Amino acid sequence: GENVEQHPSTLSVQEGDSAVIKCTYSDSASNYFPWYKQELGKGPQLIIDIRSNVGEKKDQRIAVTLNKTAKHFSLHITETQPEDSAVYFCAATLGAGKSTFGDGTTLTVKP
Amino acid sequence: GAVVSQHPSRVICKSGTSVKIECRSLDFQATTMFWYRQFPKKSLMLMATSNEGSKATYEQGVEKDKFLINHASLTLSTLTVTSAHPEDSSFYICSARVPSGRGGLGDTQYFGPGTRLTVL
């Protein structure tokens, strides 16, 4: 089955700096890669996603890149703010099937 | 984005009782919903896939008779934890899939807010 590895497990940045979280996946057939933000005591919230026919997608301060050949994708957050502090999960999905999640990255943005 | 609700948000029960958690898609129809369990500071562990009108598909190691799933309509799936014990205490989260309509390139899951179950 699919295996997703996410790095780093924790990330601390200064407000205004950029943050990058990386994920690798094992199944080359996976074709949909969402990123979720989870705040304490709440459910994950979809923040951005990318499909396998696209190499990069951007939404304001958030961007995701996908390298299908290398089987890795990354989340980029620019101009970080304290409210960006949360746990971020990547996931890899095969078609209309279930998603496999990474172990999460705890991002702390220091004011 | 699509909205998914869960009820209750928090429940405390005595050991041996059963607890039902509801998951609703509020502004779309979901033929597929997923149930996850999450331990503190851990990732999401898929328990089962719930398909409307058919039996749920459980992941390996998840007891079907312990975690009963019913997906009776396109907007509602329920998870019943039967004869709950303290080790069942956890954060349970559901998600509903919105078909992307993009020729099978991948469908988006939207998550509910989660239910914190504490079994005494």
Side-chain angles (χ1 to χ4, degrees):
Chain A
E2 176 66 275
N3 181 50
V4 176
E5 294 190 0
Q6 183 172 346
H7 297 282
S9 57
T10 60
L11 179 60
S12 182
V13 299
Q14 207 66 38
E15 181 177 1
D17 288 348
S18 295
V20 180
I21 303 171
K22 298 181 180 180
C23 287
T24 60
Y25 61 100
S26 60
D27 192 339
S28 57
S30 289
N31 55 15
Y32 173 61
F33 308 92
W35 284 90
Y36 294 90
K37 175 185 181 182
Q38 186 177 28
E39 297 177 343
L40 193 62
K42 298 183 179 180
Q45 184 179 25
L46 179 70
I47 56 172
I48 197 166
D49 57 6
I50 193 167
R51 302 184 191 276
S52 59
N53 58 343
V54 176
E56 184 175 356
K57 183 176 178 181
K58 189 174 181 180
D59 182 5
Q60 299 182 355
R61 296 187 296 110
I62 297 174
V64 56
T65 58
L66 170 65
N67 184 326
K68 285 186 61 180
T69 303
K71 289 188 283 188
H72 66 70
F73 55 112
S74 301
L75 176 71
H76 304 253
I77 305 174
T78 59
E79 300 172 30
T80 54
Q81 301 166 3
E83 50 265 38
D84 294 330
S85 297
V87 179
Y88 292 80
F89 291 99
C90 64
T93 309
L94 175 58
K98 57 190 178 185
S99 295
T100 301
F101 288 83
D103 287 340
T105 296
T106 301
L107 173 65
T108 303
V109 180
K110 299 177 182 178
Chain B
V3 181
V4 177
S5 71
Q6 260 182 263
H7 179 81
S9 58
R10 193 177 287 268
V11 58
I12 301 173
C13 69
K14 292 182 179 180
S15 186
T17 60
S18 294
V19 174
K20 180 186 284 189
I21 303 170
E22 292 186 347
C23 178
R24 292 181 186 274
S25 55
L26 298 185
D27 51 0
F28 66 99
Q29 293 183 328
T31 55
T32 303
M33 291 183 174
F34 301 91
W35 286 96
Y36 295 84
R37 183 172 179 176
Q38 187 177 36
F39 294 100
K41 297 186 179 181
K42 295 292 184 182
S43 189
L44 301 157
M45 184 188 81
L46 180 65
M47 299 174 65
T49 302
S50 169
N51 294 298
E52 188 267 337
S54 64
K55 290 184 178 181
T57 303
Y58 289 82
E59 294 300 300
Q60 192 172 9
V62 178
E63 298 177 58
K64 301 178 183 182
D65 296 330
K66 175 122 183 107
F67 299 100
L68 300 178
I69 291 172
N70 187 317
H71 194 157
S73 78
L74 288 172
T75 59
L76 174 65
S77 176
T78 60
L79 168 68
T80 301
V81 183
T82 62
S83 187
H85 291 284
E87 57 266 29
D88 298 323
S89 298
S90 193
F91 193 52
Y92 292 88
I93 313 173
C94 72
S95 72
R97 191 169 68 200
V98 178
S100 67
R102 297 193 183 193
L105 286 181
D107 296 350
T108 303
Q109 286 186 49
Y110 289 91
F111 284 85
T115 296
R116 172 71 60 193
L117 171 63
T118 303
V119 185
L120 303 177

